[in-house]
């Protein structure tokens, strides 16, 4: 895909998730899971997540392994940080979570609630960091190689213009 199309895709996705969607009720899909369908070990920390973060959650499940204590986790396309905060809780203070998103509006919310969420979890120091960037260009973020134990992505990879599975649109008629 030419660079100009890649930038257009990034701009469209960022505009949609950062400016057009106001809450998850604005999504044009029913792919998101309801809380009662989530595993019990995820439901507990979800109850501690701030309402604004919950209302701007656009993922479609919980791609988290059961055992996360002390793990280093990378979340690709973290949005407002809902999954990062759940992962943070499950990884505990000895774990670490890094969230990557390209949407400034989403990251502003995640960073605004970072101290609140850490206090709710009873953590003395934050174990979460958020970075603005593209999931297909992680090298520009200077993340260490072979650092993370687990990488998760919650229905975001399909939005990448570099997704090798993407089926190109039909040619114009």
């Amino acid at each position: 895909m030419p660079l100009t199309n890649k930038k257009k895709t990034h701009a469209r996705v960022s505009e949609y998730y950062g400016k057009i969607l106001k809450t998850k009720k604005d999504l044009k899909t029913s792919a998101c899971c309801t809380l009662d369908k989530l595993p019990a070990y995820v439901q507990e920390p979800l109850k501690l997540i701030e309402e604004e973060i919950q209302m701007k959650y656009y993922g479609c499940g919980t791609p988290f392994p059961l055992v996360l204590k002390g793990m280093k986790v990378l979340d690709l396309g973290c949005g407002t940080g809902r999954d990062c905060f759940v992962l943070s809780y499950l990884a505990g203070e000895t774990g670490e979570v890094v969230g990557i998103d390209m949407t400034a509006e989403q990251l502003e919310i995640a960073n605004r609630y970072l101290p609140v969420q850490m206090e709710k979890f009873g953590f003395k120091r934050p174990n979460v960091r958020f970075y603005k960037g593209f999931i297909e260009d992680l090298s520009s973020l200077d993340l260490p190689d072979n650092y993370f134990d687990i990488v998760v992505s919650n229905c975001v990879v399909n939005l990448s213009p570099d997704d090798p599975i993407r089926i190109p649109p039909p040619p114009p008629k």
Side-chain angles (χ1 to χ4, degrees):
M1 181 180 281
L3 189 58
T4 56
N5 285 341
K6 192 186 261 189
K7 286 184 179 181
K8 286 179 187 176
T9 298
H10 284 149
R12 283 194 311 263
V13 170
S14 186
E15 173 84 9
Y16 182 69
Y17 286 93
K19 294 182 176 40
I20 293 173
L21 294 178
K22 301 301 179 202
T23 72
K24 61 185 173 184
K25 293 176 182 169
D26 297 328
L27 282 169
K28 304 294 186 237
T29 179
S30 61
C32 295
C33 298
T34 59
L35 292 181
D36 61 323
K37 304 253 192 256
L38 299 177
Y41 71 95
V42 174
Q43 289 183 25
E44 182 181 333
L46 275 176
K47 293 174 188 171
L48 300 173
I49 305 297
E50 289 291 313
E51 184 178 352
E52 184 176 14
I53 294 168
Q54 298 274 17
M55 291 307 297
K56 292 183 177 278
Y57 171 72
Y58 308 125
C60 58
T62 52
F64 319 143
L66 182 58
V67 179
L68 286 166
K69 199 71 160 172
M71 298 285 181
K72 295 181 207 97
V73 184
L74 177 64
D75 181 3
L76 302 175
C78 66
T80 58
R82 189 200 87 157
D83 286 352
C84 285
F85 292 127
V86 171
L87 291 161
S88 161
Y89 179 91
L90 297 171
E93 278 189 280
T94 60
E96 181 181 353
V97 179
V98 172
I100 310 296
D101 205 276
M102 68 175 188
T103 311
E105 295 85 354
Q106 298 271 312
L107 291 171
E108 185 279 320
I109 293 167
N111 281 305
R112 181 169 12 113
Y113 286 108
L114 181 58
V116 173
Q117 291 303 150
M118 295 302 105
E119 184 177 322
K120 282 186 170 189
F121 298 163
F123 293 177
K124 291 177 179 48
R125 62 169 187 81
N127 68 346
V128 179
R129 292 178 285 144
F130 296 102
Y131 292 97
K132 186 173 190 300
F134 301 107
I135 64 172
E136 59 270 23
D137 185 22
L138 296 177
S139 62
S140 68
L141 299 174
D142 293 324
L143 298 171
D145 289 338
N146 302 313
Y147 181 74
F148 295 98
D149 300 304
I150 299 166
V151 178
V152 299
S153 183
N154 199 337
C155 299
V156 175
V157 173
N158 63 321
L159 300 174
S160 170
D162 287 346
D163 181 351
I165 310 170
R166 184 176 301 280
I167 299 169
K173 293 183 181 184

